[in-house]
């Protein structure tokens, strides 16, 4: 009781700073939004563009976020290398697609020309994730929590710089798919075909994954393992196999996301996984980590926020070139979610011990 | 049956090492390392790495046959070694085949490093069709690896040491050569005799190899006598011996920049800066167990504060001397530690890592954005940071004109060296005293278990905040010196990679261990800076190191005793020893 006054002051300071953060943020967003809308610089068509772009990008985040969420649900560990698994998928698809493009296959069969690289990317990313799990994570199961996290950070850097060594520091251009160029006219608004296709593809993938997890035997086993490894093992489930297949499934989704991402941005490089990885993690936490529909919702919310945000509330605040701060919006959302609602939008309250 | 098992496991080991060597070739390591020699005109570093892989595969697979150890079964051991080496070599041979000897190999369309020069290296310059070279060489070195294991212990250790010393000398031969040549014509002859342009000379290799073996053998016979002789010295004698050692180290440390030239001084400054950051993060991560991946932000805050306060460029605010700016920078960094520590107080474990990473990235993005460019210079950063001055500074006249120093200006890396090393020593002392203090014990209690610590009366808020603040202060000091050394500070120099560097060096050295930080900084920062070839693969090696350390030695190279206990609590021996 010696320092009780000082302690109480400190407590006060803590909650004061936290509330200050919240109020400042809400005020900034509100003020910026009002100012932008009153200035009326953007037409409603442009806003729709922003939202559509946000949805297609958000669906990619959601697809990556699934891997984070599933692994976290089972092992309670952040697979820091997941963003780089996404990158490996993109690279695999790039080389295959370039070859297919070279023999004219993509022009003749645009749908197969899209699907085959996606499939290849999924297989490749899944395989690499299984290797990473086997080498860097499995031996550390049961170690103090910091240990696998650091190993995962190591795996992330290893993958990035191994690919840099393989393919060089430059950026490759993903081959164009002619059928996806141009716009579709929906209710008088032009929407880029690529964005629609990417979003639809991502939703299909998510539906498939949801089906696997909810309605197949392997999915049931995964859910059982995530409830309790020991009990699941007693019920005759091969826990190791389920963990590996969870990694592989999540990684396959990330690999597919890698192809979709390079369809939009047309760029494949060794460092491309880092930022989308962090953002997808944000999406996973946003939706409540361990929660599969949550990851999908979280990804969409994040994508739309990030795409609309710079023009909506940053520009209204008089910030020059708000697009430079696009990533800062995502990171701010990440920090805020971790601080104020680590259980996410859809998540049940996780006790601090678990989180 | 038994024999088959041996062969099969040897093949497996050989395959694993073969895949590793192919990986190293594709990543480009073999080719880049080949620019440096181990023994001039005899063997390049790249070839040495491949040989070492085959050697290791032979050694490991033959060790499998010697189980239980001590039994003399040389034939199966040698066979296993031969087979493993042969398999490793064969995989490399297949790689040679896949590359082919055309000027533009098809494989190169995918793997940049599958180049004709790699082909040349892997066939040892023999040219077309010589696929047999690698399998043969692999088999021989695998056999050697197995034979090495059969040598008596008495010989094996000296050879081991001698090999290590030769490789070490070879890696740094360029540096030694320059340093020796700087000492005058007498030393130049010695230097040229021992060290070639890119590696050791044949004579130098032999001298080092045989010399180390002789010394090691001598130590084997007489070492114990000398050790007990030292122990038998009277108390005063031991003290004076220790004083003499410290004096010798101090003498070398003071004189080093005078003989080594600016390059080595700059490397040591970098190492010292990372020691500062490492000691800081060691408080938050090593003592208190809070993984802060946005640690570089404090470094940046220290650097920017000094930049803004002392710069004579367009963003300079106060134009005050370095010596006044540094304490302010440390205080500002400390305040930032408080401000960033407050919100994340309730966040634990891996969530904390991600939240701090987010904070760090936000700060970097803001500092480099056009939004704050009027204050921090945006991507162009802050330039024209005033060098420290021993003496009085002339008053500030106008923008872009440095203030004139009446006295000694500490502008060169050799001068900053003294500041950096002195601060590192001071901070190491502070960190050491902190660890032994009541606060230090409270930190470790939090690291072990927050809830128990709280129940035992540790004030979590206060203790955690102090961990963030003191860690931040040390990083801020590092940043301040860094800004002065470079003379400018940019938003791009505060990447997440810096935080990862610091985390890695703490992990490698041993979490919570102060000498560990120093060892880690020298190994992870100093070595790559000195070896250009290694620095190209720096982050690849970091990644590997992190994984391998976590798998094999999570307590680090120089562990603190508490961590040792924690990680091996089943291991009673370690506990009693500690």
């Amino acid at each position: 009781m010696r320092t009780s006054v000082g302690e109480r002051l400190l407590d006060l300071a803590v909650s004061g700073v936290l509330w200050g953060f919240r109020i400042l943020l809400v005020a900034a967003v509100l003020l910026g939004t009002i100012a932008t809308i009153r200035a009326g610089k953007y037409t409603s068509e442009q806003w729709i563009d922003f939202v559509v772009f946000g949805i297609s990008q958000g669906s990619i985040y959601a697809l990556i976020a699934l891997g984070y969420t599933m692994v976290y649900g089972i092992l309670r560990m952040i697979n820091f290398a997941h963003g780089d698994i996404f990158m490996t998928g993109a690279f695999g698809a790039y080389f295959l697609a370039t070859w297919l493009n070279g023999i004219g296959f993509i022009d003749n069969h645009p749908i197969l020309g899209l699907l085959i690289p996606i499939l290849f990317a999924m297989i490749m990313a899944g395989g690499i994730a299984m290797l990473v799990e086997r080498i860097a994570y499995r031996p550390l199961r049961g170690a103090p929590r910091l240990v696998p996290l650091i190993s995962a950070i190591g795996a992330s850097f290893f993958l990035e710089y191994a690919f840099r060594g393989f393919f060089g520091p430059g950026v490759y251009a993903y081959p164009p798919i002619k059928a996806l160029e141009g716009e579709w006219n929906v209710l008088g608004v032009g929407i880029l075909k690529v964005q629609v296709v990417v979003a639809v593809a991502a939703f299909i993938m998510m539906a498939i994954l949801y089906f696997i997890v909810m309605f197949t035997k392997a999915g049931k086993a995964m859910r059982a393992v995530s409830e309790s490894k020991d009990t699941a093992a007693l019920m005759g489930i091969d826990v190791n196999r389920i963990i590996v297949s969870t990694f592989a499934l999540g990684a396959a989704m990330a690999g597919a996301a890698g192809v979709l991402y390079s369809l939009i941005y047309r760029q494949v490089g060794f460092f491309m996984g880092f930022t989308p990885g962090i953002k997808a993690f944000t999406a996973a936490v946003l939706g409540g980590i361990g929660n599969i529909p949550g990851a999908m919702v979280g990804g969409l919310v994040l994508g739309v926020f990030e795409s609309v945000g710079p023009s909506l509330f940053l520009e209204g605040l008089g910030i020059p070139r708000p697009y430079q701060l696009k990533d800062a919006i995502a990171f701010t959302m990440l920090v805020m979610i971790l601080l104020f609602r680590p259980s996410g939008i859809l998540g049940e309250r996780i006790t601090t011990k678990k989180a | 049956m038994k024999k088959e098992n041996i062969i099969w496991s040897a093949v497996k080991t050989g395959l694993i090492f073969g895949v590793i060597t192919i990986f190293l070739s594709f990543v480009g390591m073999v080719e880049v390392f080949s620019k440096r020699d181990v023994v001039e005109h005899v063997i390049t570093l790249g070839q040495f790495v491949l040989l070492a892989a085959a050697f290791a595969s032979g050694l490991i697979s033959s060790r499998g046959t010697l189980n239980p150890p001590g039994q003399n079964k040389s034939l199966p051991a040698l066979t296993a070694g031969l087979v493993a080496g042969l398999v490793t070599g064969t995989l490399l041979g297949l790689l040679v085949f896949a590359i082919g000897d055309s000027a533009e190999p098809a494989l190169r369309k995918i793997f940049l490093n599958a180049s004709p020069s790699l082909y040349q290296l892997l066939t040892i310059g023999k040219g077309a069709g010589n696929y047999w070279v690698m399998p043969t060489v692999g088999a021989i070195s695998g056999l050697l690896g197995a034979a090495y294991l059969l040598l008596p212990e008495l010989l094996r250790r000296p050879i081991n040491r001698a090999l290590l010393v030769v490789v070490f000398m070879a890696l740094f031969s360029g540096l030694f050569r320059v340093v020796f040549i700087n000492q005058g014509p007498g030393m130049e002859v010695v230097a040229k005799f021992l060290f070639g342009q890119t590696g050791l000379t044949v004579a130098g290799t032999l001298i080092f190899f045989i010399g180390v073996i002789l010394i090691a053998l001598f130590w084997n016979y007489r070492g114990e006598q000398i050790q007990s002789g030292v122990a038998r010295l009277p108390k005063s004698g031991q003290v004076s011996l220790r004083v003499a050692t410290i004096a010798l180290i101090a003498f070398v440390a003071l004189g080093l920049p005078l003989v080594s030239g600016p390059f080595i001084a700059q490397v040591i400054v970098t190492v010292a800066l990372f020691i500062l950051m490492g000691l800081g993060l060691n408080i938050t991560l090593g003592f208190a167990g809070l993984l802060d991946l946005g640690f570089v932000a404090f470094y940046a805050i220290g650097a920017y504060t000094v930049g803004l306060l002392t710069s004579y460029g367009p963003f300079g605010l106060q134009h005050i001397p370095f010596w006044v700016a540094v304490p302010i920078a440390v205080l500002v960094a400390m305040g930032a530690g408080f401000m960033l520590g407050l919100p994340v107080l309730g966040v634990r474990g891996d969530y904390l890592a991600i939240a701090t990473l987010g904070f760090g990235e936000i700060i970097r993005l803001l500092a480099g954005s056009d939004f704050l460019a009027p204050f921090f210079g945006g991507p162009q950063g802050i330039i024209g940071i005033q060098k420290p001055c021993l003496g009085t500074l002339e008053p500030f006249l106008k923008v872009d004109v440095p203030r004139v120093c009446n006295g000694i200006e500490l502008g060169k890396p050799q001068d900053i060296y003294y500041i950096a090393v002195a601060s590192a020593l001071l901070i190491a002392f502070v960190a050491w005293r902190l660890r032994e203090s009541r606060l230090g014990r409270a930190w470790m209690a939090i690291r072990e278990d927050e809830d128990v610590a709280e129940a035992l009366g540790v004030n979590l808020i206060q203790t955690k905040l102090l961990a963030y603040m003191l860690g931040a202060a040390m990083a801020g000091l590092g940043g301040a010196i860094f800004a002065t050394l470079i003379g400018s500070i940019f938003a791009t120099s505060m990447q997440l990679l810096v935080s990862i560097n610091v985390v890695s060096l703490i992990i490698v050295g041993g979490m919570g261990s102060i000498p560990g930080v120093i060892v880690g900084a020298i190994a992870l920062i100093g070595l790559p800076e000195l070896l250009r070839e290694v620095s190209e693969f720096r982050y690849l090696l970091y990644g590997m190191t992190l994984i391998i350390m976590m798998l094999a030695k999570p307590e680090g190279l120089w562990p603190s005793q508490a961590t040792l206990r924690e990680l091996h609590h089943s291991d009673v021996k370690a506990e009693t020893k500690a």
Side-chain angles (χ1 to χ4, degrees):
Chain A
M1 288 293 116
R2 282 179 301 139
T3 53
S4 66
V5 177
E7 272 174 26
R8 220 171 293 159
L9 269 179
L10 210 59
D11 277 348
L12 217 67
V14 173
S15 55
V17 166
L18 287 180
W19 274 105
F21 262 122
R22 289 188 212 205
I23 292 170
L24 214 84
L25 217 71
V26 172
V29 169
L30 280 182
L31 283 178
T33 309
I34 292 170
T36 309
I37 290 173
R38 283 178 64 184
K41 192 176 156 196
Y42 295 98
T43 61
S44 58
E45 208 163 294
Q46 278 170 313
W47 287 121
I48 291 175
D49 268 356
F50 285 140
V51 172
V52 171
F53 181 69
I55 288 176
S56 68
Q57 192 172 302
S59 62
I60 294 177
Y61 293 154
L63 212 48
I64 310 173
L66 291 172
Y68 278 114
T69 269
M70 295 200 314
V71 167
Y72 196 91
I74 286 191
L75 290 180
R76 304 260 172 266
M77 101 175 234
I78 298 175
N79 182 7
F80 207 88
H82 194 60
D84 303 299
I85 300 279
F86 156 89
M87 176 269 298
T88 64
F91 259 109
Y94 162 78
F95 284 111
L96 187 64
T98 314
W99 179 68
L100 289 177
N101 198 34
I103 60 172
F105 184 83
I106 290 186
D107 289 339
N108 296 332
H109 310 272
I111 296 179
L112 279 181
L114 180 63
L115 285 184
I116 293 176
I118 288 186
L119 203 67
F120 182 66
M122 290 171 75
I123 294 170
M124 183 161 156
I128 290 179
M130 280 159 83
L131 267 181
V132 169
E133 194 270 342
R134 186 70 193 76
I135 295 170
Y137 301 157
R138 192 186 296 180
L140 299 176
R141 228 176 273 155
R145 292 185 60 141
L146 216 48
V147 171
L149 179 66
I150 289 166
S151 175
I153 294 175
S156 159
F157 274 78
F158 178 78
L159 283 178
E160 271 168 27
Y161 284 86
F163 272 65
R164 184 183 190 274
F166 288 159
F167 309 120
V171 177
Y172 293 86
Y174 195 84
I177 298 180
K178 287 212 180 69
L180 293 184
E181 281 165 9
E183 294 186 340
W184 272 315
N185 202 320
V186 181
L187 303 174
V189 183
I191 294 175
L192 285 177
K193 284 183 190 174
V194 183
Q195 296 181 355
V196 179
V197 170
V198 163
V200 169
F203 284 123
I204 293 173
M205 303 290 303
M206 286 188 256
I208 294 174
L209 181 106
Y210 192 73
F211 176 80
I212 292 178
V213 173
M214 297 311 288
F215 302 109
T216 64
K217 208 165 175 184
K220 206 174 194 177
M222 280 177 198
R223 283 181 286 137
V225 173
S226 95
E227 284 295 326
S228 161
K229 275 199 273 276
D230 297 337
T231 320
L234 288 178
M235 300 298 136
I237 294 172
D238 185 344
V239 174
N240 266 336
R241 232 184 68 199
I242 293 301
I243 290 176
V244 171
S245 49
T246 311
F247 266 95
L249 197 58
M253 293 295 142
V259 185
L260 300 180
Y261 190 85
S262 24
L263 279 180
I264 293 189
Y265 290 98
R266 302 280 314 282
Q267 285 184 341
V268 179
F270 79 101
F271 206 64
M272 68 186 281
F274 175 71
T275 320
I278 303 270
K279 287 181 184 167
F281 178 77
T282 311
V285 182
L286 200 61
I289 198 152
N291 180 334
I292 290 176
M296 303 178 191
V297 175
L300 289 180
V301 171
L302 181 71
V304 171
F305 247 74
E306 200 186 75
S307 151
V308 174
S311 337
L312 186 61
F313 39 82
L314 290 186
E315 196 156 332
L317 292 173
I319 292 174
R321 311 231 183 100
Y323 258 89
Q324 288 179 337
L325 294 180
K326 189 178 136 193
D327 290 348
I329 293 184
F331 287 126
T332 313
M333 281 175 81
L334 169 68
V335 171
M336 291 297 137
I337 283 287
L338 288 179
L339 294 189
F340 299 122
R341 202 177 155 79
S343 53
I345 306 173
L346 298 185
E348 71 273 38
R349 280 244 169 249
I350 312 174
T351 57
T352 36
K353 201 71 198 180
K354 245 177 167 182
Chain B
M1 183 70 196
K2 182 92 182 170
K3 188 115 186 165
E4 251 175 42
N5 273 339
I6 289 172
I7 299 291
W8 173 232
S9 68
V11 169
K12 268 202 294 196
T13 320
L15 280 176
I16 291 175
F17 276 92
V19 170
I20 291 175
T21 50
I22 290 182
F23 173 81
L24 293 181
S25 311
F26 275 159
V27 157
M29 222 182 245
V30 173
E31 202 177 320
V32 172
F33 279 10
S34 291
K35 289 178 190 144
R36 200 177 269 274
D37 290 334
V38 176
V39 184
E40 211 170 30
H41 309 308
V42 178
I43 180 171
T44 70
L45 185 59
Q47 289 163 339
F48 181 81
V49 169
L50 293 180
L51 282 187
F55 186 87
S57 81
L59 194 146
I60 287 177
S61 59
S62 74
R63 189 159 62 192
T65 65
L66 291 178
N67 203 16
Q71 259 175 314
N72 201 2
K73 288 189 293 184
S74 48
L75 189 64
L78 288 178
T79 333
L82 183 72
V83 169
L86 183 68
V87 171
T88 308
T90 309
L91 279 186
L92 275 173
L94 285 177
L95 175 67
V96 174
F97 182 70
I99 297 174
D101 62 347
S102 68
E104 194 49 49
L107 200 59
R108 203 177 186 189
K109 291 214 175 76
I110 297 181
F111 294 105
L112 284 180
N113 292 304
S115 60
S117 58
L118 181 66
Y119 180 83
Q120 286 297 323
L121 277 171
L122 290 183
T123 51
I124 321 193
K126 293 260 187 261
N130 282 296
Y131 308 123
W132 53 269
V133 174
M134 274 299 133
T136 319
V137 172
I140 294 172
S141 26
L143 197 62
L144 283 180
Y148 170 78
L149 206 62
L150 296 173
L151 284 179
E153 179 80 24
L154 197 68
L155 268 177
R156 212 158 64 200
R157 280 190 38 203
I159 291 183
N160 222 339
R161 299 233 170 100
L163 273 176
L164 274 179
V165 168
V166 166
V167 171
F168 180 83
M169 292 314 253
L171 286 178
F172 294 103
S173 63
L175 280 178
F176 286 123
R177 193 178 149 103
V178 170
V179 171
F180 273 49
I181 288 177
N182 280 345
Q183 307 312 311
M187 295 303 270
E188 193 173 333
V189 179
V190 180
K192 286 196 173 152
F193 181 63
L194 292 177
F195 306 112
Q197 294 281 1
T198 53
L200 291 175
T201 57
V202 179
T205 315
L206 287 177
I207 288 177
F208 282 121
F209 194 77
I210 295 171
V212 173
I213 287 186
L214 287 182
I215 291 173
L217 284 177
F218 171 76
W219 188 254
N220 248 342
Y221 288 114
R222 302 295 303 276
E224 276 181 22
Q225 278 180 38
I226 294 174
Q227 267 176 354
S228 62
V230 171
R232 261 186 280 118
L233 274 180
K235 186 117 191 185
S236 62
Q238 277 189 33
V239 169
S240 56
L241 200 66
R242 192 171 292 172
V243 169
T245 327
I246 292 176
L248 188 70
I249 293 174
F251 180 73
V252 171
L254 283 176
L256 192 64
L258 300 178
V259 293
S260 68
F263 172 64
I264 293 180
Q266 174 138 6
V267 170
I268 298 178
V269 173
T270 316
V271 171
L273 294 181
F274 272 91
I275 290 179
L276 282 177
M277 274 201 282
L279 289 170
L281 188 62
N282 195 35
I283 287 186
T284 14
L285 172 61
F287 294 170
L290 307 161
L291 177 51
D292 184 349
L293 285 183
F295 197 67
V296 66
F298 304 127
Y299 187 68
I301 286 168
Y304 267 96
T305 312
V306 162
L308 289 174
L309 288 177
T310 70
S311 164
Y312 51 83
F315 295 101
L317 298 175
Q318 292 296 324
H319 316 292
I320 57 177
F322 173 79
W323 308 108
V324 187
V326 165
I328 300 179
V330 170
L331 284 179
V332 171
M334 220 165 160
F338 181 77
M339 286 309 291
L340 291 189
L342 261 189
V344 296
L345 276 176
V347 187
R348 286 186 191 188
D350 22 16
Y351 271 33
L352 177 71
I354 303 278
T356 47
L357 185 153
F359 267 129
E361 288 292 290
I362 292 172
I363 289 183
R364 181 176 65 83
L365 286 167
L366 283 179
S369 72
D370 285 352
F371 170 42
L372 294 178
F375 309 103
F376 300 125
Q380 276 80 41
I382 294 173
I383 50 168
I385 294 171
Q386 184 75 47
K387 299 287 179 199
C389 168
L390 285 177
T392 51
L393 274 174
E394 295 282 327
F396 177 72
L397 293 174
K398 62 176 189 204
V399 166
D400 288 340
V401 178
R403 295 173 70 184
V404 179
C405 173
N406 291 326
I408 310 162
E409 191 179 58
L410 303 175
K412 292 191 304 263
Q414 291 101 304
D415 307 329
I416 306 279
Y417 167 91
Y418 293 108
I419 300 178
V421 170
S423 337
L425 285 180
L426 174 74
I427 294 299
F429 178 74
V430 170
W432 173 57
R433 291 313 301 158
L434 274 173
R435 194 183 59 183
E436 307 298 326
S437 72
R438 190 186 167 83
L439 181 61
R441 289 199 299 275
W443 282 332
M444 302 207 205
I446 291 188
R447 183 184 66 193
E448 304 304 325
D449 192 318
E450 269 192 46
D451 300 324
V452 173
E454 191 171 23
L456 290 176
V458 173
N459 183 340
L460 283 189
I461 297 181
Q462 203 176 318
T463 324
K464 278 188 175 181
L465 278 179
L466 276 172
Y468 285 117
M469 286 164 70
L470 290 171
M474 294 178 186
L477 177 60
I481 298 174
F482 171 73
T484 320
L485 171 75
I486 305 291
S488 50
I489 175 73
F490 311 101
T492 41
S493 47
M494 37 203 266
Q495 301 280 352
L496 171 76
L497 282 177
V498 180
S499 300
I500 299 286
N501 266 335
V502 182
V503 172
S504 318
L505 76 89
I506 289 185
I507 301 292
V508 167
M511 265 200 257
S513 148
I514 292 163
V517 170
I518 297 166
V519 170
I522 292 173
L524 289 194
I525 311 297
L527 290 187
E529 293 276 332
L530 288 176
L531 299 173
R532 229 172 340 103
E533 284 77 9
V534 174
S535 82
E536 202 162 309
F537 300 102
R538 186 174 189 157
Y539 292 106
L540 183 74
L541 294 174
Y542 279 10
M544 263 193 246
T545 316
L546 284 187
I547 299 175
I548 293 172
M549 289 300 289
M550 286 301 107
L551 293 177
K553 217 166 154 38
E555 72 272 16
L557 292 180
W558 193 318
S560 72
Q561 298 181 344
T563 341
L564 250 186
R565 273 200 300 275
E566 185 185 332
L567 285 165
H568 297 271
H569 37 82
S570 56
D571 196 353
V572 185
K573 245 194 218 156
E575 200 163 354
T576 45
K577 233 194 268 171

